[in-house]
Amino acid sequence: MIRVSVNGYGTIGRRVADAVAAQPDMTLVGVAKMKPDYRAKIALEKGYEVYSGDEKSRLAFHDAGTESSGTARDLVSDSDIVVDCTPEDVGAENKKLYEQLGKRAIFQGGEEDATAGMSFVAQCNYEKAKGRKFVRVVSCNSTALCRVLNAVDEEFGISKARVVIARRAADPDEVGKGPIDAVVLDPITVPSHHGPDVNTVLPNFPVISMALKIPTTHMHLHSLIVSLKSGATYEKVEQKFSNTPRVMLVNGKKDGFKSTANIIDMAREMGRPRNDVYESIVWRDSIKVLDDELYFFMAVHQEAIVVPENVDAIRAMFGEDTRQESMAMTNKSLGIMR
Amino acid sequence: MIRVSVNGYGTIGRRVADAVAAQPDMTLVGVAKMKPDYRAKIALEKGYEVYSGDEKSRLAFHDAGTESSGTARDLVSDSDIVVDCTPEDVGAENKKLYEQLGKRAIFQGGEEDATAGMSFVAQCNYEKAKGRKFVRVVSCNSTALCRVLNAVDEEFGISKARVVIARRAADPDEVGKGPIDAVVLDPITVPSHHGPDVNTVLPNFPVISMALKIPTTHMHLHSLIVSLKSGATYEKVEQKFSNTPRVMLVNGKKDGFKSTANIIDMAREMGRPRNDVYESIVWRDSIKVLDDELYFFMAVHQEAIVVPENVDAIRAMFGEDTRQESMAMTNKSLGIMR
Amino acid sequence: MIRVSVNGYGTIGRRVADAVAAQPDMTLVGVAKMKPDYRAKIALEKGYEVYSGDEKSRLAFHDAGTESSGTARDLVSDSDIVVDCTPEDVGAENKKLYEQLGKRAIFQGGEEDATAGMSFVAQCNYEKAKGRKFVRVVSCNSTALCRVLNAVDEEFGISKARVVIARRAADPDEVGKGPIDAVVLDPITVPSHHGPDVNTVLPNFPVISMALKIPTTHMHLHSLIVSLKSGATYEKVEQKFSNTPRVMLVNGKKDGFKSTANIIDMAREMGRPRNDVYESIVWRDSIKVLDDELYFFMAVHQEAIVVPENVDAIRAMFGEDTRQESMAMTNKSLGIMR
Amino acid sequence: MIRVSVNGYGTIGRRVADAVAAQPDMTLVGVAKMKPDYRAKIALEKGYEVYSGDEKSRLAFHDAGTESSGTARDLVSDSDIVVDCTPEDVGAENKKLYEQLGKRAIFQGGEEDATAGMSFVAQCNYEKAKGRKFVRVVSCNSTALCRVLNAVDEEFGISKARVVIARRAADPDEVGKGPIDAVVLDPITVPSHHGPDVNTVLPNFPVISMALKIPTTHMHLHSLIVSLKSGATYEKVEQKFSNTPRVMLVNGKKDGFKSTANIIDMAREMGRPRNDVYESIVWRDSIKVLDDELYFFMAVHQEAIVVPENVDAIRAMFGEDTRQESMAMTNKSLGIMR
């Protein structure tokens, strides 16, 4: 049993904790968070050990009448590995603690590739993580892109990939962020950081990305334009994606998937916890090959898509399971079909 | 075992079907819907019998390669009772079929009180539904209001209730409805229909409502101003609501419930299916008694709040369980605490 | 000619500057702002003298190649009166400078009543501002409420006023603020500060307010419930509002004003600069008298409604015009009918 | 003086009417609309002759106490040319009337190219419209694209253009349309109709478009990826766009244009009527040349951008002015710099 702790209990941390708790070969030692809010209380009701982020946070828990089980340092000390899900750039700071305590750690996509020294997407480079002390799971957008671009590159060869990312501006429970009625260029310059980030996992072709922030909370929407080296057809692309792990094809017209809202609705109907969508969602009817270029739309559930990757990264680092074994185990526990 | 069918598989029908399927004393015979979309396919994957709404719809299912088990008429014929969850005003039309087949039926709040002859909220008038052929479960807003106003009236006596309802403009999967950046007066005139609708259940005091439509998808938000007959205090109100069935008090400041988004987030954390909130949510720190007037904020999950009422209405009509027995059974199956 | 300067060039400052420049008896000396952005450049193109907020800001202007005419201190020194339109709480700090330079100043509703010692709405208490050194124009919501409540109180006597305010969460050009898909209780407690703020101008009856923040950018929407001392009818209320300055009645059903969006659209059609609505907008068909209570909906253009008040406050402080003279002059310059 | 009438007084019709009225060589005979709402009343206050759309509409005007000056047929009969601004597909129907009365007509982008037989963008093909009976001004998105692509093609040669269009889902006064919190694929298939529509004006290179609908009301946002035939640099592109008519370059970082909201805010600051932006807006800092591909962001004000095109189309059809003369006259009247 791998003893896993989760430091940071926001959008990602909460999900990784539940996913770890659902693995047959892992134990969730506990979670660390800063505020003694309703999320902390529900975690306690689920039976999780809840630690405070630091000493100040420990006092806040105490004052709220919710005693924490110690601080993040205590939690990490008692674990084999920590999944760091703290906000952007905090992970790099926390690395010192993990090194000091001699613990393995996984960082999220908000950290630099250099912080961990290796960027991870299970179906692209699982084996590379074997035995490592530190691994970085790439961001939601990069994870989704790596899955589909890796598949396309395997089958047809990619000479250049371009993607326009319409980003949800806030997670559903972040009520302070906007915009309300505008499109924000974020960044204004081209390319955005997303393309180069994909290259930390898939270095063999250029990925040029342009990114917008729009007033939605549920999913990112990618418009992909990919130049191919060898002849593709709709059928071949559809066939390849049908066999690509953690990619789900949906029928827009036939089955009524008109929007990102329908994807989330599907997850609710399927009984997924928190309506989570772990798969890269590709609209089958959007796939189009024109000359040597492949076009399609993809939706990315920013809250959930990196969850299976974190679980696989844990196993990869301890090195006892193959990629296939780990992914199968993770998929089964989360209800992912393939 | 009561054999229950669900006619209409939209926002309410899908949830009522799942709730019925979860009752120990009921069998879900099947569900009827118009389109063979992803919702139909997931229903089939769950093992539900799926019927088409009518003959035309039956052909649409056939053409889509998804055979239906028959039409709504077949489904109703095979049931003891049908829960009609079709769109507004369709239920009144369907009543003829139900009468012709001699079947009991429950209608939703989109129908007139006169269609069923009785409007229902479990904790207000369960007994009145005993033995009836037809019952109408009132709308989400009316259900939520009846629960809290009935409690306040029991304890303090109400001379007049006023409520301003900020209504979510569309359900999460309804992408064609707006507004996007505006407040719509709906209706422009005062009072809106909501107050009189509450009076179909609680006839003893006036309820004046004003209603707005705003660009959100998740919950209605009620601002209540209630004139009382006898002296209330914060403590007494808090105490009463703490003991009122299907009312949940939340702490805004202390536990971080700043918005309706946090309520939905809570449901996700609690593992509620589809993040459903069956309770009327009252912010504890919004409760204020000033002279003889009581003020508070309440959030209403329009997708879910009538689900337990539909289940209780079924039992009430068959008349074998008491209110307490039925509500306890329903609550247990849905994870409602009280 | 009164020499007026405007310190702060955000939502309010930009409009006050234009309004001052349009008065026959005033000269706009200049405006002070912090950033050399497009707003500064357009101000220069209009021929305004643009000053930097402080020394640091002066350097920022210089680095951007847009020389400022000096700092805010220089600007104020050269004026008879300054309209302080800086962000909340900054005005209180600036007061020291204004006192030191011996200059009159007007503050906005973000400051405390105590900072100026008097809170102002032209049609309620113009005369009280005569000869004062400091005056505070109340916030957009308070201004709108004072206009209508003062009128109702004059005609019928108010025993208690209650208002639920659905607040736009951000101004149109504020893209960083949310929420996107939620209602935020702001504040969670009752009453919000708005009622007491009305009482700084109209102290004779209680005003209880409840406030929500919703995902819109264009107008606040007030739902009013007012208890009256003497008998009112729809006709009398309609008649009174028809004669109340800076209140505009609109017909929802007959003329197609279904939402706040139509009010802004009307201003665009009328050719109002920046589509500004200076009037309190009351829906005629929402006016309802039930027993001794008056109900109606009112929309408030948060960007514009205080602009005429600032202009009148300037004149009041210099004391040479009567209320009627000043309001008439201001109205004429801004296209306000009454 | 060309006697011009405007049939349809919605988003486009209202603006075309004002623009026609502002031309020294044109007379606005009148406008026709269906409903006697506030827009009709303000048109009358401006001194426009208002006609009803048809006989039924004429009665509606009469019942509302607002007499119309006749029907659309009367209006067209009395004009030299009609600008048809009726909803999509109605124009094609109206063509019969215009032919019957022997009148010239301009159609909007909602009609097919074949309806008019020629699609128009002033700076691309003004001369082609000379002497024609019927001309179609292309849609807002096509107009904006034609301006920039024509310029790029002139300077560098285009081998292929790709564009992802994030479309505002509703105009500001359309409160019934959504989505509220979702991205709608519209259409799901690739390419959308926008690319081929550009080819009705610029037939010499393929334009592949992908289109999304997002919850905003103010502007469309285009992400362009253009393959060039000959070597371009940032400087050359910037230089070319600086000299292209009706294209405005803005500085995102330096001048604070972070979003589409800032563009609309700029128009408000500039005193543009209805905050209209007639220019294709290109972010200077988004321009990037990578190998043989040009990338940039462009914003399109859907309400306004076709207005100058309609004016120029009128002149072109009567054939007395050159392109330069007409565009200069139009620009001057609307405050367009170039």
Side-chain angles (χ1 to χ4, degrees), chain C residues 219 247-251 255-257 259-283 299 301 335 337, chain D residues 14 37-43 45-46 172-173 274:
Chain C
M219 300 191 96
V247 170
M248 186 192 288
L249 288 168
V250 297
N251 299 314
D255 290 338
F257 290 103
S259 72
T260 52
N262 296 115
I263 305 300
I264 297 294
D265 187 52
M266 172 193 74
R268 295 173 89 187
E269 290 307 291
M270 291 170 71
R272 288 279 181 90
R274 295 188 183 85
N275 56 256
D276 279 353
V277 181
Y278 308 111
E279 299 88 345
S280 303
I281 301 293
V282 174
W283 271 264
H301 189 192
M337 300 271 288
Chain D
R14 295 185 254 169
D37 59 11
Y38 68 89
R39 298 173 188 95
K41 290 180 180 171
I42 298 172
E45 283 163 17
K46 290 197 211 183
D173 62 329
R274 296 187 182 86

Side-chain angles (χ1 to χ4, degrees), chain D residues 229-276:
Chain D
K229 289 180 183 163
S230 71
T233 60
Y234 167 83
E235 288 73 18
K236 283 186 193 169
V237 175
E238 199 272 348
Q239 179 72 15
K240 179 63 183 175
F241 282 161
S242 294
N243 294 316
T244 302
R246 296 178 184 166
V247 170
M248 186 192 287
L249 288 168
V250 298
N251 299 312
K253 188 130 199 285
K254 191 179 166 214
D255 289 339
F257 290 102
K258 293 179 290 187
S259 73
T260 53
N262 296 115
I263 305 301
I264 297 294
D265 187 53
M266 172 194 74
R268 295 174 89 187
E269 289 307 290
M270 290 170 72
R272 286 280 182 90
R274 296 187 182 86
N275 57 256
D276 278 353

